[in-house]
Amino acid sequence: MDTASIPPFPDDIPTHPLLVVDYERVKVGDPEEIELLWTAATKLGFWYLKNHGVDEEASGMFDMAAETMALPMEEKMKYEQGDDGMSFGYKAAGANAVDASGMKDTAQFINIAKDDAVAWPAQARRAYPSTVNARMDSTIVPFIEKSLAVNNTLLEVFNDRLGLPKGTLLQKHLREEYSGSESRCTFSPPIMERQVIGAHTDFGSLSFLHNRLGGLQVFVPGAETWQYVKPIPGHAFCNLGDAMAIFSGGILRSNLHRVVNPPGAQGALYRFSLVYFTRPGNSVVLRALTEESPMIAQAVANAPDPTKYNTGVTSYDWFTRRIKNQRIKNRKGPETWMASRGTEHTELTKVETS
Ligand SMILES: O=C(O)CCC(=O)C(=O)O
Ligand SMILES: [Fe+2]
């Protein structure tokens, strides 16, 4: 998409402001910037990240997404992710529910496993359309490698601020271990009446999101309504997912968000978005790291429901359950949607059908 021709995000609709974190300053250990990141991560779990250095690779990924979405449907469906709870590959629009009533989503996805980028040119997890293979070397591997580096830097900051022994969080996100980590490109047509992606918290640890058009909304704790967050050129969005909320005993927030048709003049356009998701290794058990950090032990001791931080399941099980129960083909009734829920399940269930 020609970014210069994108109509501006309307200036007359309310948006939720996010803190702007400078990646370069975080990387060199600037204490003020780290404090800002910590505030963003503990209050809302969403922030802008500038100076991340991944814009060029992101731009290539948008091109790859356009090339892939333009393939004949029959070709794309050869790489469909299926109904067993795996998310790598292609997802057709309408394959997922967006709410308890079983309303269908409007987004197509092309998701590429971190494990396939690392193993390339060998295949680790699955095969992809020719448009993906053609850009593995030039675009996808560089995008995933850079995104991994950014997310790992942020994970190390959280590790230290949570009082965890050095390397504890990185150990749970080993490059060599298979995981649900992946890049995702989404593509959705201008449809006002339906949600693009239903309300959810992210399934893994850290999401690094590049948006050109609006449509992303957050449900701010204590607020009455969904609020747009505005894309700013050169700024990515970052947000934390369920695994970090659980590891930290709720100190870090995995906030609810959803995607609707972009507002204003942007609403007439087809929407692409791009995320890199860092998720824990498949074997990692999702539990609060109370033995590793007195701060986390304290947070769990003070939590209204400490049991929710001891899930008893691996990252693989958590992820598979959530993906699988979103699939329309697996739907039996509202209980299937409920079975797809993450850490927001207990506190914010009521907003999910709104
Ligand atoms: O497209 C977006 O703006 C966000 C996508 C998202 O929340 C997701 O894929 O988890
Ligand atoms: Fe998300």
Side-chain angles (χ1 to χ4, degrees):
M1 190 197 300
D2 175 11
T3 47
S5 65
I6 296 176
F9 188 92
D11 52 18
D12 58 350
I13 59 160
T15 57
H16 186 74
L18 300 176
L19 294 174
V20 179
V21 176
D22 185 333
Y23 178 68
E24 281 298 333
R25 290 180 63 186
V26 169
K27 208 166 94 178
V28 296
D30 182 318
E32 269 176 43
E33 210 61 23
I34 285 175
E35 191 58 37
L36 194 68
L37 173 60
W38 183 250
T39 303
T42 51
K43 292 276 184 327
L44 187 66
F46 267 81
W47 60 94
Y48 290 111
L49 192 71
K50 68 173 183 185
N51 287 331
H52 51 70
V54 190
D55 275 336
E56 205 181 308
E57 290 76 9
S59 185
M61 290 295 285
F62 278 97
D63 293 340
M64 181 280 291
E67 291 153 12
T68 304
M69 294 307 165
L71 292 171
M73 186 52 84
E74 193 193 338
E75 186 59 22
K76 291 188 279 192
M77 289 304 284
K78 289 182 192 159
Y79 304 93
E80 226 282 341
Q81 65 187 39
D83 298 311
D84 298 336
M86 187 192 66
S87 76
F88 311 131
Y90 172 74
K91 185 193 79 65
N96 282 352
V98 297
D99 61 21
S101 79
M103 187 71 86
K104 292 176 181 176
D105 76 314
T106 66
Q108 299 178 55
F109 295 164
I110 180 70
N111 297 346
I112 301 152
K114 173 270 287 173
D115 301 321
D116 284 313
V118 167
W120 181 257
Q123 179 182 318
R125 311 296 298 274
R126 67 157 306 140
Y128 298 95
S130 57
T131 48
V132 170
N133 297 335
R135 279 186 178 267
M136 270 293 203
D137 281 322
S138 63
T139 306
I140 299 164
V141 172
F143 173 75
I144 289 184
E145 288 292 355
K146 276 199 167 183
S147 303
L148 265 170
V150 168
N151 282 4
N152 283 348
T153 300
L154 300 183
L155 283 182
E156 282 186 276
V157 169
F158 295 130
N159 190 91
D160 293 351
R161 288 298 301 251
L162 288 166
L164 289 164
K166 207 111 209 109
T168 305
L169 287 178
L170 285 186
Q171 193 64 31
K172 301 199 178 295
H173 300 87
L174 291 175
R175 178 186 175 85
E176 307 76 47
E177 185 180 2
Y178 278 9
S179 72
S181 295
E182 64 186 354
S183 67
R184 157 173 306 165
C185 298
T186 81
F187 177 59
S188 50
I191 299 178
M192 291 295 288
E193 303 73 32
R194 280 162 52 197
Q195 293 175 51
V196 178
I197 299 178
H200 65 283
T201 54
D202 282 350
F203 305 7
S205 300
L206 198 47
S207 308
F208 181 28
L209 169 65
H210 305 262
N211 276 357
R212 291 171 173 176
L213 296 183
L216 177 62
Q217 296 183 317
V218 290
F219 198 84
V220 178
E224 309 265 294
T225 55
W226 289 93
Q227 297 177 54
Y228 286 103
V229 286
K230 180 178 166 168
I232 305 176
H235 292 56
F237 294 109
C238 286
N239 67 286
L240 293 162
D242 292 347
M244 290 293 274
I246 294 168
F247 290 148
S248 70
I251 294 172
L252 300 175
R253 275 197 66 81
S254 171
N255 202 78
L256 267 180
H257 54 286
R258 69 176 186 181
V259 182
V260 296
N261 204 52
Q266 293 190 348
L269 303 182
Y270 282 78
R271 179 183 192 270
F272 284 94
S273 75
L274 165 66
V275 200
Y276 181 75
F277 295 108
T278 290
R279 293 168 174 146
N282 282 346
S283 72
V284 173
V285 175
L286 296 184
R287 60 164 183 84
L289 304 176
T290 50
E291 285 144 38
E292 294 87 338
S293 155
M295 183 180 173
I296 296 174
Q298 187 71 47
V300 172
N302 294 339
D305 177 14
T307 57
K308 85 179 213 190
Y309 300 112
N310 192 359
T311 67
V313 302
T314 62
S315 178
Y316 177 83
D317 292 337
W318 182 270
F319 184 67
T320 307
R321 168 183 66 78
R322 294 204 60 190
I323 296 281
K324 197 172 175 170
N325 288 298
Q326 274 187 352
R327 297 280 296 184
I328 287 287
K329 282 211 185 130
N330 292 327
R331 180 182 158 84
K332 298 199 177 72
E335 68 277 15
T336 314
W337 171 255
M338 292 316 297
S340 78
R341 303 292 72 201
T343 51
E344 83 280 19
H345 173 93
T346 43
E347 293 150 38
L348 287 167
T349 301
K350 63 184 185 301
V351 305
E352 284 161 15
T353 51
S354 69

